[in-house]
């Protein structure tokens, strides 16, 4: 009866979410402390029951309880224990339970670390989180229950999708969901501010660390997903503008804009309405991503489910959340709008321009992702939107962002002096030009690679110049507070990322070749010798493993062993072999035998030389680290508001 306890736990959690989503908000409206005080215990109780359900599902996988349909469909007796844990969130029902578990973890963290919030405001924030939890728990209980029985019980299960049997999938979904769901906190703070008519920026200061952490987790999740696609799918790519990839990228772009907008609102009181709107959009796009992954309306290798009934529920919930929040915004935003004016030359203006470009890029990605649906709806036939559209427009929109990146820290709040930017532009520009010329003369680089070198050097050198400036001019204890250090790390990461993308995409070399044992093929400066194929096996698969020797100037570089695996249920999966390096990757994928199934004869292989591709993920990790470091700013934890001292507003931070 253990799985039935899991169902009961989800039902009880749903009932607690209902209380949490209604009673504290009513209490805040009426000024009733007794009702408001229910928010924290309801949130804690909801977390306990959802955690219990999660633990029961993990137990079912670890004990091979094939009477549970979800377990039988996604594991078998041969599946290693670590992939049985991955299988918990490897399909739709379990991934939704993981989503709700992480949502409850965020809510519990709010109850613990937000006790400095005014009682009414905290009640509204936790009430909004309860409403979101109610929507997803109802979705699980009524349409996506992972504890449904399958009787009679089968002696063995099917198997986890081979694509998901990779170490990257052990941590990619939880980390990605931490980012997705984390934006619900910024959403809840904004809704609470609209409901309460908060006139000053104190609520933004309370929300900032949560937003930074959510954005950092989403950055880590996207990096992990990109690395998984590169290593596991065998096509040598790191990003394909797939609809589900776009679903995580859109809230990341809006979240990046939100992080910067919150800084303006908290420090200067400006752009309050814009900050609220970005908070609503960041979480709304996270919900939209959930709909795209699970509705089946778009085809993707990453999608979890294609049940129209589930898609209809999520679409309805999406309409309620987005429509309701925008209606509330339209009614209440004028009461929280306002703030200090700022000059054309100011840090606010630079951030605002960057924000507009980031949100425009998100809108461009959204349009390209949904346009095939619009084409079908308007009887325009099958319309495909791919990398040529996304790549061209995204690069066009991000070019001004990269150009502005070094200047922002030099400009003062309110009104800046454009003269201070000239030395930065000259030094960073000179460094960029010199490096671009070197790339042109000695690397025989393409125009895209030269532009990438110039853009990366411009961003990195401009950031380093500001680091040197603060080191020289600021006293020891004030040089790099957490918020400043996080910003500089993230900006430096952008430069590294630009170099990785532009250089890898323009300088990569690939060949599809037919190779008999003993044959040598040259690719770039490397020689690849195919030494044949041998049989290999794993706990739940058998396969063919190629032996490829990579040499350069007669010296051994690497022995690579790409595989073609056949799993217990007949699924075939390619496992690439990669010799990784900081400046280049050597990548080999094994295809099919070319001589009518003769394993001893010729095989199809795909060979890649991919310069600087690791810099893509290194830049993403710098951005992630910047988000986490900025969230540790002491001011977010210790600064008192005047409302806490008997007034109603917060002192803007210096």
């Amino acid at each position: 009866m253990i799985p039935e306890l899991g169902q009961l736990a989800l039902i009880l959690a749903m009932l607690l979410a209902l209380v949490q989503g209604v009673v504290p908000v009513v209490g805040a409206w009426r000024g009733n402390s007794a009702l408001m005080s229910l928010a924290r215990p309801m949130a804690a109780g909801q977390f306990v029951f959802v955690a219990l359900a999660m633990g029961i599902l993990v137990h079912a996988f670890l004990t091979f309880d094939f009477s549970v349909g979800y377990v039988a469909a996604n594991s078998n007796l041969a599946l290693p224990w670590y992939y049985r844990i991955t299988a918990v969130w490897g399909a739709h029902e379990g991934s939704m339970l993981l989503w709700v578990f992480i949502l409850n973890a965020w809510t519990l963290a709010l109850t613990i670390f937000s006790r400095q919030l005014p009682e009414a405001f905290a009640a509204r924030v936790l009430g909004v989180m309860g409403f979101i939890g109610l929507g997803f728990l109802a979705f699980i209980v009524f349409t996506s229950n992972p504890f449904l029985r399958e009787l009679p019980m089968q002696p063995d299960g099917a198997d986890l999708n081979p694509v998901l049997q990779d170490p990257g999938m052990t941590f990619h979904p939880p980390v990605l969901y931490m980012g997705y769901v984390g934006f619900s906190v910024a959403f809840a703070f904004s809704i609470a501010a609209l409901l309460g008519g908060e006139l000053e920026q104190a609520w933004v200061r309370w929300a900032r660390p949560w937003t930074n952490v959510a954005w950092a987790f989403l950055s880590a999740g996207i990096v992990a997903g990109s690395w998984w696609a590169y290593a596991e799918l065998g096509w040598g790519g790191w990003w394909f503008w797939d609809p589900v990839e776009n679903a995580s990228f859109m809230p990341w772009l809006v979240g990046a804009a939100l992080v910067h907008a919150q800084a303006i609102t908290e420090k200067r009181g400006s752009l309050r309405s814009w900050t609220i709107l970005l908070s609503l959009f960041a979480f709304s796009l996270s919900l939209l991503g959930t709909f795209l992954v699970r509705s089946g309306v778009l085809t993707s290798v990453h999608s979890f489910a294609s049940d129209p009934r589930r898609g209809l529920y999520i679409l309805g919930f999406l309409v309620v959340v987005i429509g309701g929040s925008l209606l509330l915004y339209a009614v209440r935003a004028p009461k929280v709008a306002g703030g200090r004016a700022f000059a054309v030359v100011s840090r606010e203006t630079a951030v605002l321009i960057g924000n507009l470009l980031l949100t425009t890029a998100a809108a461009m990605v959204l349009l390209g992702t949904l346009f095939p649906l619009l084409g079908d709806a308007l009887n325009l036939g099958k319309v495909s939107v791919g990398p040529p559209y996304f790549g061209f427009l995204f690069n066009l929109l991000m070019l001004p962002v990269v150009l502005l990146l070094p200047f922002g820290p030099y400009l003062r709040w309110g009104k800046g002096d454009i003269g201070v930017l000239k030395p930065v532009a000259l030094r960073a520009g000179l460094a960029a030009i010199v490096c671009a010329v070197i790339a042109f003369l000695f690397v025989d680089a393409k125009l895209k690679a030269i532009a990438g070198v110039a853009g990366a050097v411009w961003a990195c050198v401009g950031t380093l110049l500001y680091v040197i400036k603060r080191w020289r001019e600021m006293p020891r204890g004030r040089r790099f507070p957490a918020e400043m250090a996080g910003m500089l790390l993230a900006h430096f990461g952008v430069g590294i990322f630009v170099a990785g993308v532009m250089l890898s995409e323009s300088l990569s070399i690939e060949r599809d070749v037919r190779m008999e044992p003993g044959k040598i093929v040259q690719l770039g400066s490397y020689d690849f010798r195919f030494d044949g194929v041998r049989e290999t096996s794993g706990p739940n698969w058998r396969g063919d493993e190629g032996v490829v020797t990579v040499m350069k100037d007669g010296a051994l570089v690497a022995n690579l062993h790409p595989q073609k695996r056949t799993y217990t249920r007949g699924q075939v999966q390619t496992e690439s072999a990669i010799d990784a390096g900081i400046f280049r990757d050597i990548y080999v994928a094994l295809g099919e035998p070319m001589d009518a199934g003769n394993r001893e004869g010729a095989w199809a292989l795909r060979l890649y030389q991919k310069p600087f591709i690791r810099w893509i993920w290194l830049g993403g990790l710098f951005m992630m680290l910047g988000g986490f470091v900025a969230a540790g700013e002491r001011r977010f934890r210790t600064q008192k508001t005047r409302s806490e001292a008997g007034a109603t507003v917060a002192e803007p931070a210096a």
Side-chain angles (χ1 to χ4, degrees):
M1 298 297 290
I2 292 178
E4 281 67 34
L5 290 178
Q7 294 189 46
L8 179 61
L10 289 176
I11 293 171
L12 292 174
M14 183 178 67
L15 295 176
L16 291 178
L18 176 61
V19 176
Q20 180 187 335
V22 175
V23 175
V25 177
V26 172
W29 175 46
R30 294 185 173 181
N32 187 321
S33 294
L35 297 181
M36 288 188 284
S37 66
L38 288 175
R40 297 183 192 278
M42 291 299 103
Q46 187 186 160
F47 174 81
V48 168
F49 284 120
V50 171
L52 176 61
M54 192 73 183
I56 288 173
L57 188 60
V58 172
H59 176 268
F61 272 96
L62 292 178
T63 58
F64 302 109
D65 188 352
F66 298 132
S67 70
V68 178
Y70 181 72
V71 176
N74 294 284
S75 71
N76 59 23
L77 293 173
L79 191 67
W81 68 268
Y82 41 90
Y83 286 143
R84 276 179 269 151
I85 294 177
T86 303
V88 171
W89 49 79
H92 170 75
E93 291 85 351
S95 72
M96 289 310 305
L97 182 56
L98 176 67
W99 176 287
V100 173
F101 173 73
I102 291 176
L103 176 67
N104 278 266
W106 276 100
T107 308
L108 182 67
L110 265 175
T111 67
I112 296 172
F113 297 110
S114 62
R115 296 189 180 277
Q116 82 279 10
L117 298 181
E119 184 181 33
F121 189 85
R124 289 193 294 267
V125 170
L126 292 174
V128 174
M129 297 294 287
F131 173 78
I132 297 169
L134 173 64
F136 279 100
L137 281 164
F139 178 55
I140 293 175
V141 169
F142 295 117
T143 73
S144 307
N145 193 332
F147 298 107
L148 295 179
R149 296 284 193 173
E150 183 178 274
L151 299 174
M153 185 177 75
Q154 300 298 316
D156 198 0
D159 197 4
L160 178 65
N161 186 340
V163 172
L164 305 180
Q165 296 186 37
D166 180 85
M169 292 307 294
T170 304
F171 55 85
H172 165 53
V175 172
L176 188 71
Y177 285 5
M178 284 293 291
Y180 262 152
V181 180
F183 283 128
S184 66
V185 179
F187 176 85
F189 271 93
S190 295
I191 295 296
L194 290 172
L195 289 173
E198 309 294 334
L199 299 180
E200 293 295 336
Q201 62 265 31
W203 70 270
V204 180
R205 178 173 56 82
W206 300 327
R208 286 192 67 191
W210 302 94
T211 306
N212 276 277
V213 170
W215 184 80
F217 270 118
L218 188 57
S219 301
I222 292 173
V223 167
S226 169
W227 173 79
W228 166 79
Y230 171 74
E232 180 67 16
L233 298 183
W235 59 289
W238 62 276
W239 196 262
F240 194 63
W241 297 102
D242 177 275
V244 177
E245 291 176 339
N246 295 347
S248 63
F249 191 45
M250 290 184 288
W252 185 88
L253 289 168
V254 175
L258 174 60
V259 166
H260 291 83
Q262 284 182 336
I264 295 178
T265 301
E266 186 241 329
K267 294 182 177 182
R268 301 290 296 174
S270 304
L271 304 180
R272 296 175 194 162
S273 296
W274 176 243
T275 299
I276 290 176
L277 195 61
L278 288 175
S279 301
L280 304 185
F281 282 158
F283 184 58
S284 297
L285 287 170
S286 296
L287 291 181
L288 178 63
T290 306
F291 169 71
L292 294 176
V293 174
R294 289 164 175 82
S295 63
V297 298
L298 291 172
T299 302
S300 167
V301 69
H302 307 275
S303 43
F304 275 109
S306 57
D307 187 336
R309 183 168 60 106
R310 294 169 176 171
L312 189 62
Y313 179 98
I314 297 177
L315 182 61
F317 187 62
L318 195 65
V319 170
V320 170
V321 171
I322 297 178
S325 61
L326 290 179
L327 178 62
L328 180 63
Y329 175 83
V331 173
R332 304 285 286 181
K335 295 188 177 182
V336 297
R340 302 182 186 181
F342 51 87
V344 174
V345 179
S346 64
R347 189 180 296 188
E348 290 95 327
T349 299
V351 171
L352 183 58
I353 293 172
N355 270 7
L356 292 174
L357 291 167
L358 287 168
T359 51
T360 301
M364 177 273 295
V365 175
L366 178 63
L367 176 62
T369 304
L370 298 182
F371 194 78
L373 294 180
L374 297 175
D376 280 345
L378 298 175
N379 295 320
L380 299 178
K382 294 294 182 181
V383 181
S384 176
V385 180
Y389 162 82
F390 290 111
F392 173 74
L393 288 180
F394 187 76
N395 290 338
L396 190 65
L397 289 168
M398 289 302 103
L399 175 60
V401 174
V402 174
L403 292 176
L404 284 172
L405 202 65
F407 294 145
Y410 288 90
L411 293 170
R412 296 180 61 86
W413 295 109
K415 184 177 181 180
D417 178 11
I418 198 169
V420 301
L421 304 182
K422 293 180 181 178
V424 185
L426 287 174
R427 294 170 184 171
L430 180 61
I433 292 171
V434 169
C435 290
V437 170
I438 292 174
F440 175 75
L441 293 177
F442 295 100
V443 186
D444 191 23
K446 301 177 182 177
L447 179 61
K448 188 174 183 179
I450 295 171
V453 169
V457 172
W458 167 268
C460 290
V461 171
T463 302
L464 290 174
L465 287 172
Y466 188 72
V467 171
I468 295 170
K469 173 182 170 63
R470 287 192 68 91
W471 184 268
R472 289 175 175 174
E473 298 179 1
M474 300 296 289
R476 183 184 298 271
R478 296 180 56 192
R479 284 173 179 164
F480 301 106
E483 183 184 6
M484 175 63 67
M487 177 197 71
L488 294 172
L489 283 169
H491 286 189
F492 192 77
V494 171
I496 297 175
F497 176 81
V498 168
V501 171
M502 303 296 275
L503 290 173
S504 66
E505 289 189 353
S506 58
L507 301 180
S508 291
I509 309 172
E510 66 177 88
R511 285 185 65 183
D512 290 318
V513 295
R514 171 193 173 105
M515 298 185 73
E516 298 86 7
K519 182 177 180 180
I520 297 177
V521 171
Q522 186 174 24
L523 183 71
S525 56
Y526 295 92
D527 294 320
F528 294 76
R529 187 183 71 223
F530 180 54
D531 296 323
V533 169
R534 62 195 181 196
E535 291 187 5
T536 185
S537 63
N540 62 335
W541 55 267
R542 299 185 64 83
D544 296 308
E545 181 177 85
V547 180
V548 179
T549 302
V550 184
M551 297 170 290
K552 183 176 182 180
D553 299 327
L556 177 66
V557 174
N559 290 310
L560 300 180
H561 304 284
Q563 296 176 347
K564 181 73 71 172
R565 297 177 179 178
T566 302
Y567 285 78
T568 53
R569 300 298 177 180
Q571 309 102 314
V572 177
Q573 178 64 28
T574 296
E575 292 289 325
S576 59
I578 303 171
D579 180 55
I582 189 65
F583 296 112
R584 63 96 184 105
D585 274 14
I586 302 298
Y587 184 112
V588 179
L590 184 66
E592 302 293 337
M594 303 295 289
D595 299 327
N598 177 18
R599 296 176 58 257
E600 305 299 326
W603 283 72
L605 284 90
R606 177 169 290 179
L607 313 176
Y608 294 92
Q609 181 181 336
K610 306 191 77 67
F612 294 95
I613 193 165
R614 298 276 153 176
W615 290 35
I616 295 172
W617 304 304
L618 181 62
L621 291 176
F622 265 94
M623 288 184 257
M624 173 207 71
L625 183 61
F628 282 127
V629 170
E633 174 64 46
R634 181 181 300 178
R635 187 180 73 256
F636 299 154
R637 303 189 304 273
T638 61
Q639 182 179 345
K640 296 287 185 180
T641 65
R642 290 213 302 256
S643 60
E644 292 166 351
T648 59
V649 297
E651 292 287 353

